[in-house]
Amino acid sequence: MTFLLTGVPRAGTTLCCNILNNQKVFLALHEPINPSKLIPDTRTPAYLQIKDKVLEIKKSISLGLPIELGDAKQGLAVNNPVGLNVDAATGKRKLQAVRGSVLLKQYIGKNVQLVIKQNALFTALLTELRREFPIVCVVRNPVDVLLSWWTISLPVSRGRLPAGEQNSALLASRLRGLDELNRQFTIYEWFCESYEPYRQNTVRYEDIIITNGQALVEKFNITSPSLSELAYQERHFPEDVLHKLRAAQNHITSMNTFGFYTKQEITDRLQQVLSQQ
């Protein structure tokens, strides 16, 4: 069986891959599908191209052929695609992942439960992909998501979501004409709205941490998991980011998370971050 894993960018889907790779007969891959390589405007819809790509990935692993991953340097051990070092020119943390090919010799000929992770691409095609694969979605408190987006150098930090906009006409239309900050709010709400019909298949990052991964593995029907202690990684933020957070807090507490987070949970997290800085 092949599972798909998706979620809000910077909501912990890479952590989920690490947890799953510690389980017996599970193999979780970090972004093995390059959205830019999907062929637009063809008779083969994007979700069917993804289905074909999944079959190709499975065959390559079984035969010992190289596959592409979102981070070829760290491979299955990818911890965080964004580094901790801050770029002096932008003041933001830079992407350290380098896409490339890897060879997974240890899985040649083995029967594994494959998990493929992609964020925006799978979310944009969620309705169609659900007909083909079981899917697990990951969400996170908007306070933490936005803080991450504001401190990294990725398209979403500029209010852009290329794979989402290219494959979801709804998202593209909603973003049109908005400024950067409001595009980010809209992107976050679009993710939550997309997952709302599949609430039973959606897990919160906070619950994954609190349960040391149990909340995640239950979504994959893993009955005897191998789990390790997890903890929050509190970070300190520069004053300009905190100022931005204070200025936007009324908008943030009014965001529509489609029931995944209450206004009180968002307010409490805001107060916690601002009081610790």
Side-chain angles (χ1 to χ4, degrees):
M1 179 183 293
T2 299
F3 291 87
L4 302 187
L5 174 66
T6 190
V8 181
R10 309 300 295 160
T13 50
T14 302
L15 170 65
C16 292
C17 286
N18 288 333
I19 294 172
L20 293 170
N21 278 326
N22 286 327
Q23 312 308 313
K24 292 181 179 179
V25 303
F26 266 81
L27 172 58
L29 302 179
H30 173 72
E31 300 182 1
I33 300 174
N34 189 340
S36 66
K37 292 185 178 180
L38 297 181
I39 304 172
D41 301 323
T42 69
R43 294 183 181 180
T44 305
Y47 80 94
L48 291 179
Q49 294 182 53
I50 291 171
K51 183 179 179 181
D52 290 341
K53 183 62 178 176
V54 169
L55 293 174
E56 178 187 327
I57 291 170
K58 293 178 69 173
K59 182 178 179 180
S60 295
I61 293 172
S62 179
L63 295 176
L65 300 174
I67 63 170
E68 187 176 356
L69 287 181
D71 191 346
K73 291 194 301 181
Q74 299 185 72
L76 299 183
V78 57
N79 179 43
N80 192 333
V82 178
L84 295 177
N85 294 329
V86 176
D87 184 283
T90 65
K92 296 183 177 181
R93 295 160 56 201
K94 297 187 297 182
L95 181 70
Q96 63 180 359
V98 178
R99 177 171 289 278
S101 296
V102 298
L103 187 62
L104 304 175
K105 293 182 179 180
Q106 66 271 40
Y107 292 97
I108 295 175
K110 288 189 177 181
N111 183 22
V112 296
Q113 297 271 66
L114 186 63
V115 181
I116 295 180
K117 172 219 161 179
Q118 304 276 159
N119 294 77
L121 177 63
F122 286 172
T123 300
L125 301 169
L126 193 59
T127 300
E128 295 87 351
L129 290 172
R130 280 275 300 173
R131 303 181 194 135
E132 308 290 340
F133 304 95
I135 301 182
V136 174
C137 313
V138 184
V139 294
R140 190 175 185 179
N141 193 305
V143 175
D144 295 288
V145 170
L146 289 167
L147 282 171
S148 182
W149 291 358
W150 294 344
T151 54
I152 60 176
S153 291
L154 288 175
V156 73
S157 68
R158 301 185 296 275
R160 303 260 59 117
L161 198 70
E165 295 175 60
Q166 291 163 11
N167 293 282
S168 171
L170 176 64
L171 176 63
S173 65
R174 288 181 178 177
L175 295 180
R176 200 168 294 124
L178 298 180
D179 60 27
E180 179 180 292
L181 187 58
N182 280 292
R183 287 200 303 267
Q184 291 173 335
F185 292 144
T186 300
I187 288 171
Y188 180 89
E189 291 181 337
W190 172 77
F191 274 102
C192 291
E193 181 181 2
S194 299
Y195 303 153
E196 196 278 333
Y198 312 108
R199 185 174 297 276
Q200 294 301 315
N201 298 90
T202 301
V203 59
R204 305 194 326 169
Y205 169 85
E206 294 79 10
D207 296 332
I208 295 172
I209 298 298
I210 290 172
T211 64
N212 292 324
Q214 182 66 38
L216 172 71
V217 299
E218 287 177 355
K219 301 297 182 182
F220 292 87
N221 300 315
I222 301 173
T223 55
S224 299
S226 174
L227 302 176
S228 301
E229 185 176 351
L230 300 175
Y232 289 100
Q233 293 184 343
E234 294 291 351
R235 290 196 170 97
H236 292 275
F237 302 96
E239 184 54 41
D240 62 321
V241 172
L242 295 176
H243 176 77
K244 189 174 184 178
L245 185 66
R246 293 188 192 96
Q249 57 185 322
N250 288 339
H251 194 149
I252 296 171
T253 56
S254 299
M255 291 176 68
N256 188 353
T257 69
F258 291 83
F260 290 114
Y261 295 92
T262 65
K263 183 174 183 178
Q264 189 61 54
E265 287 176 316
I266 298 172
T267 300
D268 288 347
R269 185 59 182 146
L270 270 168
Q271 293 175 348
Q272 183 181 26
V273 170
L274 293 173
S275 66
Q276 291 178 348
Q277 304 300 313

